[in-house]
Amino acid sequence: MCERTCYFWCRSAYESTNMVIPPVSNLMNLEHLKLTIFARPYQTLVGWITLIEACPVLQKLTLELICHNMYSLELDGMAEERSNARPLGCLKTLELCGFVGRRIDLEFATHVIANAVALEQVVVDFRMIPCSRIVNPGLDLSKARAMALGEILPPGAKLVVNE
């Protein structure tokens, strides 16, 4: 019998910009995927998309991003939308914990939102992950970027913001 919830924890390599996922065997019955990732702001989480696409009945996706925030948020541009993705047919909830509004989390969020055809809600939580001692230097800009996610949600989906 397969597990219904799966947790991944990953610490990034300092030199790499694209994070590579570990090999997985069978995620056909996975309903909740929780990713806890320590990354640098210049890296990308796009490599994790293939893991998400490998979960055909995934209903809830949680991203806990622990991102070093020593750079100004104003230096980060908005994320670019990616193409050639498979639809996430069952995903209902996307949780973004430790959201800062950097390119790394915006790129991931916009990709998931654009491909989640059954999405009901996106939960954005600005509280930092407990093991992170890094504070958000631009909370107002982070909130504005989170609200911008609400503009790209599919009809009927709602944005929930927790401070």
Side-chain angles (χ1 to χ4, degrees):
M1 181 169 171
C2 293
E3 293 291 323
R4 292 186 174 195
T5 302
C6 184
Y7 302 97
F8 280 95
W9 187 92
C10 177
R11 182 176 174 89
S12 68
Y14 289 98
E15 303 301 321
S16 175
T17 56
N18 190 16
M19 301 180 70
V20 180
I21 63 167
V24 292
S25 57
N26 185 357
L27 301 174
M28 297 301 289
N29 297 322
L30 189 67
E31 294 178 359
H32 180 202
L33 177 61
K34 182 177 180 180
L35 303 173
T36 301
I37 301 173
F38 182 92
R40 303 287 175 201
Y42 56 82
Q43 293 178 308
T44 180
L45 301 177
V46 173
W48 291 88
I49 298 298
T50 55
L51 177 69
I52 297 163
E53 292 174 343
C55 308
V57 297
L58 187 67
Q59 294 180 21
K60 183 176 182 180
L61 173 60
T62 303
L63 172 65
E64 290 184 337
L65 182 61
I66 304 165
C67 190
H68 197 282
N69 297 318
M70 64 185 214
Y71 305 105
S72 170
L73 273 175
E74 287 81 8
L75 299 177
D76 267 358
M78 290 298 286
E80 296 177 17
E81 196 170 318
R82 302 215 176 251
S83 59
N84 299 331
R86 289 185 274 170
L88 306 170
C90 296
L91 188 66
K92 295 178 181 176
T93 303
L94 171 62
E95 283 185 318
L96 302 168
C97 303
F99 184 85
V100 177
R102 294 196 175 279
R103 179 175 292 168
I104 188 171
D105 47 8
L106 288 171
E107 178 182 51
F108 183 84
T110 55
H111 178 87
V112 171
I113 291 169
N115 293 288
V117 296
L119 193 64
E120 294 175 358
Q121 75 173 2
V122 174
V123 179
V124 177
D125 194 335
F126 297 106
R127 293 173 288 203
M128 294 294 114
I129 306 306
C131 61
S132 175
R133 294 189 183 108
I134 303 163
V135 296
N136 185 343
L139 189 57
D140 290 339
L141 185 53
S142 294
K143 289 178 184 177
R145 290 184 177 178
M147 298 312 282
L149 289 177
E151 297 172 10
I152 62 169
L153 292 179
K158 65 180 179 175
L159 178 67
V160 178
V161 177
N162 297 328
E163 294 183 37

PDB file of all heavy atoms in Angstrom, residues 28-51:
ATOM      1  N   MET A  28       1.969   7.123  -7.421  1.00  0.00           N
ATOM      2  CA  MET A  28       0.668   7.075  -8.091  1.00  0.00           C
ATOM      3  C   MET A  28      -0.509   7.381  -7.160  1.00  0.00           C
ATOM      4  O   MET A  28      -1.513   7.908  -7.602  1.00  0.00           O
ATOM      5  CB  MET A  28       0.457   5.703  -8.747  1.00  0.00           C
ATOM      6  CG  MET A  28       1.467   5.402  -9.848  1.00  0.00           C
ATOM      7  SD  MET A  28       1.440   6.617 -11.179  1.00  0.00           S
ATOM      8  CE  MET A  28      -0.098   6.225 -11.947  1.00  0.00           C
ATOM      9  N   ASN A  29      -0.417   7.053  -5.868  1.00  0.00           N
ATOM     10  CA  ASN A  29      -1.521   7.255  -4.932  1.00  0.00           C
ATOM     11  C   ASN A  29      -1.285   8.405  -3.958  1.00  0.00           C
ATOM     12  O   ASN A  29      -2.036   8.568  -3.002  1.00  0.00           O
ATOM     13  CB  ASN A  29      -1.783   5.969  -4.137  1.00  0.00           C
ATOM     14  CG  ASN A  29      -2.218   4.845  -5.043  1.00  0.00           C
ATOM     15  OD1 ASN A  29      -2.968   5.062  -5.998  1.00  0.00           O
ATOM     16  ND2 ASN A  29      -1.735   3.646  -4.776  1.00  0.00           N
ATOM     17  N   LEU A  30      -0.255   9.195  -4.213  1.00  0.00           N
ATOM     18  CA  LEU A  30       0.103  10.272  -3.299  1.00  0.00           C
ATOM     19  C   LEU A  30      -0.907  11.418  -3.372  1.00  0.00           C
ATOM     20  O   LEU A  30      -1.174  11.946  -4.438  1.00  0.00           O
ATOM     21  CB  LEU A  30       1.508  10.801  -3.627  1.00  0.00           C
ATOM     22  CG  LEU A  30       2.091  11.776  -2.625  1.00  0.00           C
ATOM     23  CD1 LEU A  30       2.361  11.076  -1.298  1.00  0.00           C
ATOM     24  CD2 LEU A  30       3.374  12.372  -3.177  1.00  0.00           C
ATOM     25  N   GLU A  31      -1.452  11.805  -2.221  1.00  0.00           N
ATOM     26  CA  GLU A  31      -2.442  12.878  -2.159  1.00  0.00           C
ATOM     27  C   GLU A  31      -1.877  14.177  -1.601  1.00  0.00           C
ATOM     28  O   GLU A  31      -2.403  15.246  -1.878  1.00  0.00           O
ATOM     29  CB  GLU A  31      -3.638  12.432  -1.315  1.00  0.00           C
ATOM     30  CG  GLU A  31      -4.414  11.300  -1.944  1.00  0.00           C
ATOM     31  CD  GLU A  31      -5.564  10.820  -1.081  1.00  0.00           C
ATOM     32  OE1 GLU A  31      -5.769  11.346   0.033  1.00  0.00           O
ATOM     33  OE2 GLU A  31      -6.262   9.895  -1.527  1.00  0.00           O
ATOM     34  N   HIS A  32      -0.829  14.107  -0.775  1.00  0.00           N
ATOM     35  CA  HIS A  32      -0.234  15.306  -0.184  1.00  0.00           C
ATOM     36  C   HIS A  32       1.282  15.204  -0.301  1.00  0.00           C
ATOM     37  O   HIS A  32       1.885  14.265   0.198  1.00  0.00           O
ATOM     38  CB  HIS A  32      -0.643  15.451   1.280  1.00  0.00           C
ATOM     39  CG  HIS A  32      -0.064  16.668   1.945  1.00  0.00           C
ATOM     40  ND1 HIS A  32       0.074  16.764   3.304  1.00  0.00           N
ATOM     41  CD2 HIS A  32       0.417  17.834   1.452  1.00  0.00           C
ATOM     42  CE1 HIS A  32       0.617  17.936   3.619  1.00  0.00           C
ATOM     43  NE2 HIS A  32       0.843  18.591   2.503  1.00  0.00           N
ATOM     44  N   LEU A  33       1.879  16.185  -0.942  1.00  0.00           N
ATOM     45  CA  LEU A  33       3.327  16.260  -1.083  1.00  0.00           C
ATOM     46  C   LEU A  33       3.805  17.502  -0.354  1.00  0.00           C
ATOM     47  O   LEU A  33       3.307  18.607  -0.604  1.00  0.00           O
ATOM     48  CB  LEU A  33       3.723  16.334  -2.556  1.00  0.00           C
ATOM     49  CG  LEU A  33       5.212  16.499  -2.866  1.00  0.00           C
ATOM     50  CD1 LEU A  33       6.019  15.317  -2.333  1.00  0.00           C
ATOM     51  CD2 LEU A  33       5.420  16.652  -4.365  1.00  0.00           C
ATOM     52  N   LYS A  34       4.746  17.315   0.565  1.00  0.00           N
ATOM     53  CA  LYS A  34       5.295  18.437   1.320  1.00  0.00           C
ATOM     54  C   LYS A  34       6.781  18.533   1.013  1.00  0.00           C
ATOM     55  O   LYS A  34       7.535  17.590   1.261  1.00  0.00           O
ATOM     56  CB  LYS A  34       5.068  18.241   2.815  1.00  0.00           C
ATOM     57  CG  LYS A  34       5.566  19.388   3.660  1.00  0.00           C
ATOM     58  CD  LYS A  34       5.231  19.139   5.130  1.00  0.00           C
ATOM     59  CE  LYS A  34       5.725  20.260   6.006  1.00  0.00           C
ATOM     60  NZ  LYS A  34       5.388  20.008   7.419  1.00  0.00           N
ATOM     61  N   LEU A  35       7.191  19.662   0.468  1.00  0.00           N
ATOM     62  CA  LEU A  35       8.586  19.915   0.134  1.00  0.00           C
ATOM     63  C   LEU A  35       9.140  20.957   1.100  1.00  0.00           C
ATOM     64  O   LEU A  35       8.603  22.060   1.179  1.00  0.00           O
ATOM     65  CB  LEU A  35       8.716  20.441  -1.295  1.00  0.00           C
ATOM     66  CG  LEU A  35       8.146  19.582  -2.415  1.00  0.00           C
ATOM     67  CD1 LEU A  35       8.201  20.339  -3.731  1.00  0.00           C
ATOM     68  CD2 LEU A  35       8.895  18.276  -2.517  1.00  0.00           C
ATOM     69  N   THR A  36      10.193  20.612   1.825  1.00  0.00           N
ATOM     70  CA  THR A  36      10.903  21.565   2.664  1.00  0.00           C
ATOM     71  C   THR A  36      12.273  21.738   2.023  1.00  0.00           C
ATOM     72  O   THR A  36      13.066  20.803   1.997  1.00  0.00           O
ATOM     73  CB  THR A  36      11.030  21.066   4.111  1.00  0.00           C
ATOM     74  OG1 THR A  36       9.719  20.844   4.635  1.00  0.00           O
ATOM     75  CG2 THR A  36      11.752  22.088   4.985  1.00  0.00           C
ATOM     76  N   ILE A  37      12.519  22.928   1.502  1.00  0.00           N
ATOM     77  CA  ILE A  37      13.711  23.154   0.695  1.00  0.00           C
ATOM     78  C   ILE A  37      14.466  24.378   1.208  1.00  0.00           C
ATOM     79  O   ILE A  37      13.888  25.442   1.376  1.00  0.00           O
ATOM     80  CB  ILE A  37      13.336  23.346  -0.786  1.00  0.00           C
ATOM     81  CG1 ILE A  37      12.609  22.111  -1.301  1.00  0.00           C
ATOM     82  CG2 ILE A  37      14.577  23.641  -1.626  1.00  0.00           C
ATOM     83  CD1 ILE A  37      12.041  22.250  -2.688  1.00  0.00           C
ATOM     84  N   PHE A  38      15.753  24.193   1.448  1.00  0.00           N
ATOM     85  CA  PHE A  38      16.639  25.297   1.776  1.00  0.00           C
ATOM     86  C   PHE A  38      17.347  25.674   0.490  1.00  0.00           C
ATOM     87  O   PHE A  38      18.028  24.847  -0.112  1.00  0.00           O
ATOM     88  CB  PHE A  38      17.644  24.895   2.851  1.00  0.00           C
ATOM     89  CG  PHE A  38      18.545  26.026   3.258  1.00  0.00           C
ATOM     90  CD1 PHE A  38      18.196  26.841   4.319  1.00  0.00           C
ATOM     91  CD2 PHE A  38      19.705  26.287   2.570  1.00  0.00           C
ATOM     92  CE1 PHE A  38      19.016  27.892   4.694  1.00  0.00           C
ATOM     93  CE2 PHE A  38      20.535  27.337   2.935  1.00  0.00           C
ATOM     94  CZ  PHE A  38      20.181  28.148   3.999  1.00  0.00           C
ATOM     95  N   ALA A  39      17.172  26.905   0.029  1.00  0.00           N
ATOM     96  CA  ALA A  39      17.733  27.302  -1.261  1.00  0.00           C
ATOM     97  C   ALA A  39      18.236  28.733  -1.211  1.00  0.00           C
ATOM     98  O   ALA A  39      17.914  29.495  -0.302  1.00  0.00           O
ATOM     99  CB  ALA A  39      16.675  27.164  -2.343  1.00  0.00           C
ATOM    100  N   ARG A  40      18.985  29.102  -2.204  1.00  0.00           N
ATOM    101  CA  ARG A  40      19.470  30.471  -2.393  1.00  0.00           C
ATOM    102  C   ARG A  40      18.500  31.200  -3.314  1.00  0.00           C
ATOM    103  O   ARG A  40      17.879  30.580  -4.176  1.00  0.00           O
ATOM    104  CB  ARG A  40      20.868  30.464  -3.014  1.00  0.00           C
ATOM    105  CG  ARG A  40      21.881  29.694  -2.212  1.00  0.00           C
ATOM    106  CD  ARG A  40      22.242  30.457  -0.968  1.00  0.00           C
ATOM    107  NE  ARG A  40      23.130  29.652  -0.127  1.00  0.00           N
ATOM    108  CZ  ARG A  40      23.287  29.868   1.146  1.00  0.00           C
ATOM    109  NH1 ARG A  40      22.648  30.831   1.742  1.00  0.00           N
ATOM    110  NH2 ARG A  40      24.094  29.124   1.855  1.00  0.00           N
ATOM    111  N   PRO A  41      18.362  32.520  -3.189  1.00  0.00           N
ATOM    112  CA  PRO A  41      17.396  33.265  -4.009  1.00  0.00           C
ATOM    113  C   PRO A  41      17.634  33.151  -5.512  1.00  0.00           C
ATOM    114  O   PRO A  41      16.712  33.264  -6.294  1.00  0.00           O
ATOM    115  CB  PRO A  41      17.583  34.716  -3.555  1.00  0.00           C
ATOM    116  CG  PRO A  41      18.230  34.636  -2.225  1.00  0.00           C
ATOM    117  CD  PRO A  41      19.026  33.377  -2.202  1.00  0.00           C
ATOM    118  N   TYR A  42      18.864  32.900  -5.943  1.00  0.00           N
ATOM    119  CA  TYR A  42      19.164  32.836  -7.365  1.00  0.00           C
ATOM    120  C   TYR A  42      18.890  31.447  -7.962  1.00  0.00           C
ATOM    121  O   TYR A  42      19.026  31.244  -9.153  1.00  0.00           O
ATOM    122  CB  TYR A  42      20.622  33.223  -7.631  1.00  0.00           C
ATOM    123  CG  TYR A  42      21.631  32.395  -6.865  1.00  0.00           C
ATOM    124  CD1 TYR A  42      22.024  31.140  -7.324  1.00  0.00           C
ATOM    125  CD2 TYR A  42      22.170  32.867  -5.684  1.00  0.00           C
ATOM    126  CE1 TYR A  42      22.934  30.378  -6.621  1.00  0.00           C
ATOM    127  CE2 TYR A  42      23.083  32.115  -4.975  1.00  0.00           C
ATOM    128  CZ  TYR A  42      23.469  30.869  -5.447  1.00  0.00           C
ATOM    129  OH  TYR A  42      24.367  30.111  -4.741  1.00  0.00           O
ATOM    130  N   GLN A  43      18.507  30.489  -7.130  1.00  0.00           N
ATOM    131  CA  GLN A  43      18.246  29.145  -7.634  1.00  0.00           C
ATOM    132  C   GLN A  43      16.819  29.036  -8.153  1.00  0.00           C
ATOM    133  O   GLN A  43      16.020  29.964  -8.011  1.00  0.00           O
ATOM    134  CB  GLN A  43      18.504  28.126  -6.535  1.00  0.00           C
ATOM    135  CG  GLN A  43      19.971  28.048  -6.163  1.00  0.00           C
ATOM    136  CD  GLN A  43      20.238  27.068  -5.048  1.00  0.00           C
ATOM    137  OE1 GLN A  43      19.598  27.134  -4.010  1.00  0.00           O
ATOM    138  NE2 GLN A  43      21.184  26.172  -5.275  1.00  0.00           N
ATOM    139  N   THR A  44      16.500  27.893  -8.742  1.00  0.00           N
ATOM    140  CA  THR A  44      15.153  27.660  -9.254  1.00  0.00           C
ATOM    141  C   THR A  44      14.621  26.337  -8.707  1.00  0.00           C
ATOM    142  O   THR A  44      15.397  25.411  -8.450  1.00  0.00           O
ATOM    143  CB  THR A  44      15.123  27.650 -10.793  1.00  0.00           C
ATOM    144  OG1 THR A  44      13.780  27.410 -11.223  1.00  0.00           O
ATOM    145  CG2 THR A  44      16.050  26.602 -11.386  1.00  0.00           C
ATOM    146  N   LEU A  45      13.328  26.273  -8.544  1.00  0.00           N
ATOM    147  CA  LEU A  45      12.672  25.050  -8.075  1.00  0.00           C
ATOM    148  C   LEU A  45      12.016  24.290  -9.216  1.00  0.00           C
ATOM    149  O   LEU A  45      11.302  23.326  -8.981  1.00  0.00           O
ATOM    150  CB  LEU A  45      11.619  25.405  -7.013  1.00  0.00           C
ATOM    151  CG  LEU A  45      12.140  26.124  -5.779  1.00  0.00           C
ATOM    152  CD1 LEU A  45      10.984  26.478  -4.851  1.00  0.00           C
ATOM    153  CD2 LEU A  45      13.162  25.284  -5.048  1.00  0.00           C
ATOM    154  N   VAL A  46      12.255  24.710 -10.439  1.00  0.00           N
ATOM    155  CA  VAL A  46      11.622  24.095 -11.603  1.00  0.00           C
ATOM    156  C   VAL A  46      11.940  22.602 -11.688  1.00  0.00           C
ATOM    157  O   VAL A  46      11.118  21.813 -12.136  1.00  0.00           O
ATOM    158  CB  VAL A  46      12.030  24.843 -12.895  1.00  0.00           C
ATOM    159  CG1 VAL A  46      11.541  24.131 -14.125  1.00  0.00           C
ATOM    160  CG2 VAL A  46      11.475  26.251 -12.849  1.00  0.00           C
ATOM    161  N   GLY A  47      13.111  22.182 -11.218  1.00  0.00           N
ATOM    162  CA  GLY A  47      13.460  20.763 -11.236  1.00  0.00           C
ATOM    163  C   GLY A  47      12.507  19.899 -10.428  1.00  0.00           C
ATOM    164  O   GLY A  47      12.392  18.695 -10.670  1.00  0.00           O
ATOM    165  N   TRP A  48      11.809  20.496  -9.474  1.00  0.00           N
ATOM    166  CA  TRP A  48      10.856  19.745  -8.648  1.00  0.00           C
ATOM    167  C   TRP A  48       9.514  19.540  -9.340  1.00  0.00           C
ATOM    168  O   TRP A  48       8.695  18.745  -8.879  1.00  0.00           O
ATOM    169  CB  TRP A  48      10.661  20.460  -7.309  1.00  0.00           C
ATOM    170  CG  TRP A  48      11.880  20.388  -6.454  1.00  0.00           C
ATOM    171  CD1 TRP A  48      12.937  21.256  -6.455  1.00  0.00           C
ATOM    172  CD2 TRP A  48      12.205  19.388  -5.500  1.00  0.00           C
ATOM    173  NE1 TRP A  48      13.891  20.857  -5.555  1.00  0.00           N
ATOM    174  CE2 TRP A  48      13.467  19.710  -4.946  1.00  0.00           C
ATOM    175  CE3 TRP A  48      11.548  18.253  -5.053  1.00  0.00           C
ATOM    176  CZ2 TRP A  48      14.083  18.933  -3.977  1.00  0.00           C
ATOM    177  CZ3 TRP A  48      12.168  17.474  -4.070  1.00  0.00           C
ATOM    178  CH2 TRP A  48      13.404  17.814  -3.541  1.00  0.00           C
ATOM    179  N   ILE A  49       9.275  20.246 -10.430  1.00  0.00           N
ATOM    180  CA  ILE A  49       7.996  20.131 -11.137  1.00  0.00           C
ATOM    181  C   ILE A  49       7.763  18.708 -11.626  1.00  0.00           C
ATOM    182  O   ILE A  49       6.639  18.201 -11.573  1.00  0.00           O
ATOM    183  CB  ILE A  49       7.930  21.147 -12.303  1.00  0.00           C
ATOM    184  CG1 ILE A  49       8.027  22.581 -11.777  1.00  0.00           C
ATOM    185  CG2 ILE A  49       6.686  20.942 -13.139  1.00  0.00           C
ATOM    186  CD1 ILE A  49       6.919  23.014 -10.854  1.00  0.00           C
ATOM    187  N   THR A  50       8.816  18.031 -12.095  1.00  0.00           N
ATOM    188  CA  THR A  50       8.637  16.658 -12.575  1.00  0.00           C
ATOM    189  C   THR A  50       8.173  15.734 -11.450  1.00  0.00           C
ATOM    190  O   THR A  50       7.405  14.803 -11.692  1.00  0.00           O
ATOM    191  CB  THR A  50       9.939  16.115 -13.198  1.00  0.00           C
ATOM    192  OG1 THR A  50      11.004  16.230 -12.250  1.00  0.00           O
ATOM    193  CG2 THR A  50      10.299  16.875 -14.455  1.00  0.00           C
ATOM    194  N   LEU A  51       8.618  15.982 -10.228  1.00  0.00           N
ATOM    195  CA  LEU A  51       8.153  15.195  -9.083  1.00  0.00           C
ATOM    196  C   LEU A  51       6.658  15.420  -8.867  1.00  0.00           C
ATOM    197  O   LEU A  51       5.900  14.479  -8.646  1.00  0.00           O
ATOM    198  CB  LEU A  51       8.932  15.577  -7.828  1.00  0.00           C
ATOM    199  CG  LEU A  51       8.497  14.891  -6.537  1.00  0.00           C
ATOM    200  CD1 LEU A  51       8.836  13.415  -6.578  1.00  0.00           C
ATOM    201  CD2 LEU A  51       9.151  15.550  -5.341  1.00  0.00           C
TER     202      LEU A  51
END
